[in-house]
Amino acid sequence: MASRPFWETKSLEEMTPREWESLCDGCGLCCLIRFEDEDTGEIIPTRVHCRLFDSESCACSNYAQRKRHVPDCIKLTPQNVDTLQWMPLSCAYRRVNEGRGLADWHPLISGDPESVHRAGVSIRGETVSEESLADPDDAIQYAAWDLLEERGDD
């Protein structure tokens, strides 16, 4: 009898650090700049990525020290997944937390880290760096409402 994968048998809190990190599908969506409307609380996503984001590899270029270089980088934890409503619907952490399981394109299912890109879930090639902007507030010009929708097929 085959055993079920860890993401089906453990809560996010029960996962080892290695299991937790392996849930990241490498889409890069959490590395995008977002604005929050002060009056309504509405989140406005953009296609502008953090200065540490490597748009070719679709990963943080200095993950281990990201908080040192980008103090407002939000570290995702089992304790805050529920509160971060801006997390993409396709995010594995969010999906597992909501009891939806992983999508077919997720590298843990497909066995291929490129599957997230082929499925059109990642932001590879779809963004600009915040460093290319004259003013940080210019990111609003790159508003991307479509990023609030679920990306990829299950």
Side-chain angles (χ1 to χ4, degrees):
M1 181 171 143
S3 63
R4 292 174 46 210
F6 71 88
W7 61 87
E8 291 181 1
T9 61
K10 293 182 176 182
S11 69
L12 295 175
E13 292 85 3
E14 294 171 326
M15 291 181 188
T16 66
R18 184 174 180 189
E19 290 168 338
W20 173 263
E21 291 296 326
S22 73
L23 276 184
C24 177
D25 55 41
C27 71
L29 286 162
C30 62
C31 296
L32 295 175
I33 306 299
R34 291 165 183 76
F35 291 94
E36 182 175 357
D37 184 298
E38 293 177 9
D39 297 326
T40 66
E42 180 181 33
I43 300 297
I44 303 167
T46 73
R47 291 198 186 282
V48 178
H49 64 255
C50 167
R51 67 178 169 270
L52 291 181
F53 184 72
D54 179 330
S55 60
E56 283 299 308
S57 67
C58 226
C60 183
S61 63
N62 196 347
Y63 185 73
Q65 296 181 22
R66 66 194 182 281
K67 291 289 288 177
R68 184 171 150 217
H69 299 285
V70 181
D72 60 349
C73 178
I74 297 173
K75 181 179 180 179
L76 186 63
T77 68
Q79 293 74 35
N80 69 7
V81 170
D82 266 343
T83 65
L84 302 175
Q85 294 305 305
W86 53 264
M87 288 298 292
L89 293 171
S90 57
C91 175
Y93 298 102
R94 183 172 182 167
R95 290 177 61 101
V96 169
N97 189 57
E98 293 173 352
R100 296 190 289 139
L102 300 183
D104 292 343
W105 49 260
H106 193 284
L108 287 173
I109 302 292
S110 70
D112 179 4
E114 290 297 310
S115 61
V116 65
H117 309 297
R118 281 194 306 276
V121 177
S122 82
I123 56 169
R124 183 184 278 172
E126 296 181 18
T127 62
V128 297
S129 173
E130 69 177 326
E131 291 185 319
S132 70
L133 304 177
D135 183 292
D137 288 339
D138 290 346
I140 196 70
Q141 295 174 18
Y142 295 89
W145 297 104
D146 62 300
L147 296 178
L148 294 175
E149 300 168 8
E150 183 105 20
R151 291 172 67 105
D153 296 325
D154 275 336

